[in-house]
């Protein structure tokens, strides 16, 4: 069997599908990954067939990039959205050639279900956070330029408005691309993408699914990619040279200005050393003092159990990794699902969050809250409850369905 795994987004959207690809290959299945070109080298290094989809996204972490500037205006977002869907319809049919099923991760895979429908093969949608999917238990996530007209409206009204926005934003370009393929028009874009039986690749302790909902959601657990790569020698030496440091990182997203200075000052205020992850924003150290080190992409599964706390943006992947490692967390949420994970970390008692723009003072106060022994103990207990078999569950579901 050959499976196409398709996503649009940064590492947080790509890594779960890479985890599924690795597991399917272990089971003897053929896999092809369709994702932004930023991830070609990584995927092919794991032996996964790769087809690039859309433009590179690394520049979006910089405020002066052309893509970031285009996203600043409604007209710029509209043009980019239309170009993205057209590119998907041009790329995905060839990528899906010879495939027996398609798995889409991330809601902006606007064309994927249509291509599967045209090919006559099964399609499965996967969300990475519960708030992506409609439920009477939570409000819809807010996209850039997509705030509700009345944020205090009842939850059913907010989801109805969300459905209308999906149709207004994507319906025209989606149906224009479906017509040449002989496919009928779609009148419910969100329902078309999500289907009636979506999967939820999120840990049930950290991010439980809660109805009621019109959807039959199957929560598999988070899709975790096992990482056995060693930490860089210089990082190993830094960890061995003193007490556990504080980790700071914002992954693939744009980081606030002057954040590196604020992070290092906050760690020093508590007499702690600091590890600064450069990320796509290319954060750098502020001086040459030996109490700090900057790192690139490293094995979080090996690193997080050895730090005193993890300060990060609150993406699904990083939050799951830190929770699983049993490390206290400070979240600095910026967009989409990150405020949800900030709330969950607080509710579970394993950390706290900063609202608004972080500075040295707010980071120092947040670290004071999470560096307490009782928070560390609570984080260790919750970490032991995180499931690690989500990708195996998903692979079995896929094989049984196809």
């Amino acid at each position: 069997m050959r499976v196409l795994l398709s996503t649009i987004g940064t590492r947080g959207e790509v890594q779960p599908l890479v985890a599924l690809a690795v597991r399917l290959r272990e089971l003897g299945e053929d896999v092809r990954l369709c994702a932004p070109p930023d991830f070609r080298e990584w995927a092919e290094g794991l032996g996964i067939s790769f087809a690039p989809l859309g433009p590179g996204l690394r520049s979006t972490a910089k405020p002066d990039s052309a893509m970031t500037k285009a996203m600043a205006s409604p007209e710029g977002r509209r043009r980019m959205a239309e170009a993205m869907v057209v590119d998907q319809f041009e790329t995905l049919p060839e990528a899906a050639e010879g495939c027996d099923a398609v798995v889409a991760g991330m809601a902006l895979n606007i064309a994927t279900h249509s291509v599967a429908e045209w090919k006559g093969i099964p399609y499965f949608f996967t969300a990475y956070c519960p708030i992506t999917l409609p439920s009477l238990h939570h409000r819809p996530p807010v996209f850039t330029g997509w705030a509700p007209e009345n944020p205090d409206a009842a939850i059913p009204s907010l989801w109805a408005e969300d459905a209308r926005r999906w149709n207004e934003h994507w319906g025209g370009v989606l149906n224009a691309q479906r017509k040449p393929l002989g496919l009928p028009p779609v009148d419910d874009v969100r329902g078309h993408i999500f289907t009636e039986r979506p999967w939820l690749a999120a840990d049930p302790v950290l991010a439980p699914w809660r109805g009621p909902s019109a959807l039959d959601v199957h929560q598999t657990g988070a899709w975790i990619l096992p990482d056995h790569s060693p930490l860089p020698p210089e990082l190993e030496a830094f960890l061995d040279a003193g007490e556990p440091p504080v980790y700071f990182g914002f992954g693939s997203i744009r980081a606030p200005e002057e954040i590196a200075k604020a992070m290092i000052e906050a760690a020093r205020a508590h007499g702690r050393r600091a590890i600064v992850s450069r990320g796509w924003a290319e954060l750098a150290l502020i001086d040459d003092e030996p109490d700090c080190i900057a790192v690139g992409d490293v094995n979080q599964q090996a690193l997080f159990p050895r730090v005193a706390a993890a300060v990060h943006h609150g993406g699904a992947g990083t939050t799951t990794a830190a929770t699983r490692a049993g490390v206290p967390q400070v979240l600095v949420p910026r967009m989409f699902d990150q405020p949800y994970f900030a709330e969950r970390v607080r509710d579970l008692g394993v950390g706290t969050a900063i609202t608004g723009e972080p500075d040295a003072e707010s980071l120092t106060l947040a670290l004071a809250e999470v560096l307490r022994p009782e928070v560390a103990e609570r984080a260790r207990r919750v970490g032991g409850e995180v499931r690690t078999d989500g990708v195996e569950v998903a692979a079995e579901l896929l094989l049984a369905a196809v």
Side-chain angles (χ1 to χ4, degrees):
M1 180 177 74
R2 174 179 291 175
V3 181
L4 176 65
L5 309 177
S6 176
T7 190
I8 293 290
T10 57
R11 180 151 183 153
E13 286 75 47
V14 177
Q15 183 157 317
L17 289 185
V18 171
L20 180 59
V22 169
R23 181 56 185 154
L24 289 171
R25 281 174 51 83
E26 291 173 349
L27 295 173
E29 308 301 337
D30 189 12
V31 181
R32 180 175 295 149
L33 176 65
C34 203
D38 311 79
F39 305 100
R40 176 192 286 276
E41 183 178 355
W42 177 38
E44 292 182 344
L46 294 170
I48 301 169
S49 174
F50 186 86
L53 180 62
L57 298 178
R58 182 174 287 272
S59 66
T60 59
K62 299 296 183 63
D64 58 348
S65 73
M67 187 177 297
T68 302
K69 291 178 179 178
M71 289 289 290
S73 69
E75 178 60 22
R77 290 192 293 270
R78 184 192 64 78
R79 288 198 303 267
M80 288 187 62
E82 291 185 356
M84 182 186 73
V85 175
V86 171
D87 181 71
Q88 289 179 22
F89 272 97
E90 292 176 349
T91 302
L92 288 169
E94 182 177 351
E97 189 66 33
C99 290
D100 303 291
V102 177
V103 178
M106 213 282 193
L108 295 183
N109 273 259
I110 306 299
T112 313
H113 193 179
S114 296
V115 171
E117 184 181 348
W118 181 55
K119 295 280 187 179
I121 57 178
Y123 161 87
F124 305 91
F125 174 77
T126 303
Y128 304 142
C129 177
I131 64 166
T132 301
L133 304 172
S135 167
L136 295 180
H137 186 80
H138 55 249
R139 299 167 182 270
V142 177
F143 297 91
T144 301
W146 200 320
E149 295 176 0
N150 178 12
D152 297 322
I155 289 178
S157 298
L158 291 174
W159 279 111
E161 180 185 355
D162 182 75
R164 289 195 299 272
R165 287 178 180 268
W166 276 92
N167 289 339
E168 294 167 359
H169 200 70
W170 303 107
V173 64
L174 171 63
N175 287 325
Q177 296 296 313
R178 284 173 61 88
K179 186 175 181 179
L181 301 179
L183 299 175
V186 170
D187 58 9
D188 176 10
V189 175
R190 189 185 69 192
H192 168 75
I193 294 171
F194 291 174
T195 77
E196 295 179 350
R197 296 178 177 83
W199 297 348
L200 175 57
D203 182 75
V205 172
L206 175 62
W209 171 250
R210 296 172 181 170
S213 172
L215 303 179
D216 180 13
V217 177
H218 193 124
Q219 184 162 19
T220 63
W223 296 0
I224 297 172
L225 176 66
D227 192 345
H228 306 292
S229 59
L231 297 175
E234 61 273 19
L235 179 55
E236 283 281 6
F238 181 82
L239 290 166
D240 291 340
E243 295 297 315
V246 176
Y247 168 89
F248 297 92
F250 286 86
S252 306
I253 71 166
R254 187 165 62 251
E257 292 185 12
E258 303 296 322
I259 189 62
K261 183 175 185 293
M263 293 187 302
I264 291 172
E265 288 180 355
R268 287 173 173 169
H270 291 280
R272 295 280 181 172
R273 301 179 303 150
I275 298 172
V276 176
S277 175
R278 298 186 187 93
W280 282 12
E282 298 181 4
L283 300 180
L285 302 182
I286 60 174
D287 54 41
D288 297 327
E289 294 298 318
D291 62 344
C292 301
I293 187 172
V295 299
D297 289 337
V298 297
N299 181 353
Q300 292 182 341
Q301 295 170 23
L303 175 60
F304 281 178
R306 300 174 65 179
V307 303
V311 182
H312 59 92
H313 58 296
T318 305
T319 309
T320 301
T323 304
R324 181 187 174 204
V327 59
Q329 302 174 62
V330 175
L331 271 63
V332 187
R334 312 294 293 171
M335 64 182 76
F336 193 57
D337 59 351
Q338 296 163 14
Y340 167 83
F341 284 110
E343 181 179 348
R344 288 299 301 154
V345 163
R346 284 193 295 255
D347 290 347
L348 289 169
V350 301
T352 188
I354 294 174
T355 56
E357 291 296 320
D359 55 23
E361 181 181 4
S362 61
L363 286 167
T364 300
L365 291 172
L367 283 176
E369 185 174 344
V370 304
L371 289 173
R372 294 177 294 146
E374 57 268 31
V375 178
E377 176 57 31
R378 174 65 179 166
R380 283 191 292 269
R381 289 202 304 270
V382 173
E385 299 173 9
V386 174
R387 288 178 51 180
T388 60
D389 64 342
V391 72
E392 296 177 11
V393 172
E396 291 174 1
L397 276 175
L398 180 62
L399 294 175
V402 185

